[in-house]
Amino acid sequence: MNSIPVIVLAGFLGSGKTTVLNHLLGNRGGTRIGVVVNDFGSIEVDAMSVAGQVGDSMVSLGGGCLCCAVDGSELDAYLEKLADPVHRIDVIVIEASGLAEPQEMVRMLVANENPAVRYGGMVQIVDAAEFDATRVRHPETDRHLAVADLVVLNKTDRVDAGELTRIEGMLAELCAPGIPVVGADHGRIDPELLFDRRPWTETRGQLSFEDLLAQAHDHGHDDGHGHGHEEGHAGDGDHADHIHTVYESTEFVSEQALGPRRFIEFLDRRPAGLYRIKGFVYFGVPGHEERYEVQAVGRFLRFAPQPWGRGEPRLTQLVLIGSGTDGPALIRELEACREPEPWRAGPETMWGVLRYVHRPAAREAEPEPEPADPETAFDPAPEHDPAPGFDPDT
């Protein structure tokens, strides 16, 4: 069973967390989302066609989405409920306001021993129009930014170009090195930056609210070229136009194995405009011949080893999503990661990858290996990344 990624949306009152969350719900394709909030009132439950109660403090948002209202002490219990296979949830999104300090929530998720869920990164929502005032009212803002994996600079339509440049410069200083900053207005970001959207499926019987949304988008927002993301959602009104930020997608396929050290070096130096990496990597190192699923949201990184399917070709297949990135340059860097003789590599070459593999059950019994040669040791991950080691005490 594949574990369900849990993504944390953080940000102070008025930053636009709920707007972002509602946008994700309204533009999720066929993805089944589990939502954790303090209060149902902020989520557009009525608009999402509530189907009725499905459990204590849990409601259906229609089309497979579930929402539960919790406090911090109940978080683990509701994650377990949402992860029940009967719900077939693909991703869980937590709106962090009022639940806990974001970094404490990250620690809870990283330390969670439920194999059905895994931490998927923290996204900090920032109000561009109230950035300075928010830092004055909430000095902890700087601390929250320092542990974010991805920052959404919301309400960019409310500041001029000079002010936007100033804020982006400050965020570059407050965030850990390399943290991507995505500009948005009215909370509209591409859901693909956070999770994989499943394709729409035909609805049998009565049309759901989301089917009507899709039809309205197809008729009213086609760009004339057969393209078009589902950028608007109910309630946007005049703002249901396309997202201003342009995202580029680069695909890389290799029949040759990738050198694990070179690939980790590539990930370490990935540009701030590269928001998302997803796919599978084949390393072919003896003892590690399985395929490694890779998921990166901002600077958050996770590998998950999985068996190959019967007759499945040994390939590396990656999709890289970003803004202002140089696709051909990324391809060249990935091509330079190829390893023609992976069977000659020793197990120590995999240590950098294995640091990003979540093994909650074996963590205490399996100490971190010590490299024998300091000259070839993998450079530790940045301190801001909560993924390495998955030790809740660090």
Side-chain angles (χ1 to χ4, degrees):
M1 177 183 67
N2 292 331
S3 56
I4 301 171
V6 181
I7 296 170
V8 178
L9 289 184
F12 291 101
L13 184 65
S15 62
K17 294 189 306 299
T18 301
T19 304
V20 170
L21 180 53
N22 281 324
H23 175 75
L24 295 175
L25 288 171
N27 295 272
R28 64 182 179 83
T31 305
R32 301 170 73 91
I33 302 178
V35 181
V36 178
V37 295
N38 277 126
D39 181 8
F40 290 133
S42 59
I43 305 301
E44 295 180 358
V45 176
D46 292 337
M48 299 301 295
S49 303
V50 177
Q53 295 290 330
V54 296
D56 294 339
S57 298
M58 187 182 274
V59 300
S60 170
L61 298 182
C65 287
L66 297 175
C67 185
C68 52
V70 305
D71 61 33
S73 64
E74 298 173 318
L75 182 59
D76 285 348
Y78 276 98
L79 288 178
E80 185 174 354
K81 283 189 176 184
L82 287 170
D84 190 317
V86 71
H87 300 313
R88 294 183 291 132
I89 294 295
D90 298 306
V91 61
I92 297 172
V93 180
I94 298 177
E95 184 178 344
S97 177
L99 287 174
E101 283 284 309
Q103 53 266 54
E104 292 305 315
M105 180 170 296
V106 169
R107 288 182 183 275
M108 290 172 63
L109 293 171
V110 167
N112 192 303
E113 296 185 356
N114 183 352
V117 298
R118 57 182 169 85
Y119 175 61
M122 188 191 105
V123 181
Q124 182 78 16
I125 314 297
V126 174
D127 184 343
E130 299 290 334
F131 180 67
D132 294 329
T134 299
R135 292 184 70 207
V136 171
R137 290 194 304 270
H138 303 285
E140 61 270 35
T141 297
D142 294 3
R143 188 174 70 250
H144 294 181
L145 287 168
V147 298
D149 298 299
L150 178 71
V151 174
V152 174
L153 183 56
N154 195 27
K155 306 183 185 180
T156 55
D157 56 313
R158 295 179 55 188
V159 297
D160 60 32
E163 177 68 358
L164 189 60
T165 299
R166 182 187 72 85
I167 295 172
E168 289 173 341
M170 294 187 68
L171 289 173
E173 295 178 1
L174 295 170
C175 296
I179 293 298
V181 177
V182 181
D185 62 77
H186 302 90
R188 290 167 296 173
I189 63 172
D190 192 331
E192 287 281 349
L193 298 182
L194 304 184
F195 54 79
D196 296 340
R197 279 195 294 186
R198 293 182 181 273
W200 290 96
T201 55
E202 182 179 356
T203 301
R204 296 182 180 179
Q206 185 178 359
L207 283 176
S208 71
F209 180 76
E210 285 192 329
D211 293 318
L212 297 175
L213 259 182
Q215 287 187 358
H217 179 270
D218 290 341
H219 290 297
H221 295 278
D222 196 310
D223 62 8
H225 300 284
H227 304 153
H229 297 281
E230 295 147 7
E231 314 301 1
H233 76 88
D236 275 348
D238 294 336
H239 305 297
D241 53 344
H242 293 293
I243 297 175
H244 293 181
T245 304
V246 177
Y247 303 117
E248 301 98 27
S249 178
T250 301
E251 297 183 4
F252 174 77
V253 179
S254 175
E255 296 181 359
Q256 197 172 71
L258 299 191
R261 282 180 172 158
R262 288 195 290 272
F263 185 59
I264 287 292
E265 289 171 359
F266 164 79
L267 293 173
D268 279 347
R269 65 175 181 266
R270 64 193 187 271
L274 187 55
Y275 305 139
R276 178 92 191 279
I277 302 174
K278 58 182 180 177
F280 300 93
V281 185
Y282 173 54
F283 295 113
V285 174
H288 302 278
E289 292 92 348
E290 63 265 63
R291 70 176 188 175
Y292 280 76
E293 180 187 17
V294 59
Q295 293 280 351
V297 175
R299 300 307 291 183
F300 174 77
L301 177 63
R302 170 68 60 81
F303 285 98
Q306 301 174 355
W308 296 97
R310 184 184 298 273
E312 185 178 2
R314 273 49 173 169
L315 294 173
T316 290
Q317 297 177 292
L318 297 172
V319 177
L320 304 94
I321 303 172
S323 177
T325 54
D326 185 340
L330 292 174
I331 294 295
R332 288 193 296 271
E333 289 191 56
L334 287 167
E335 288 174 343
C337 294
R338 287 173 171 160
E339 174 53 60
E341 298 180 326
W343 56 87
R344 296 184 182 274
E348 71 279 359
T349 62
M350 288 293 295
W351 287 343
V353 172
L354 296 179
R355 294 181 74 247
Y356 295 93
V357 173
H358 188 17
R359 295 185 298 261
R363 190 63 202 168
E364 292 185 5
E366 183 177 347
E368 192 73 31
E370 291 293 336
D373 184 359
E375 296 297 321
T376 61
F378 172 71
D379 187 31
E383 292 183 0
H384 73 273
D385 191 340
F390 290 89
D391 185 348
D393 295 326
T394 58

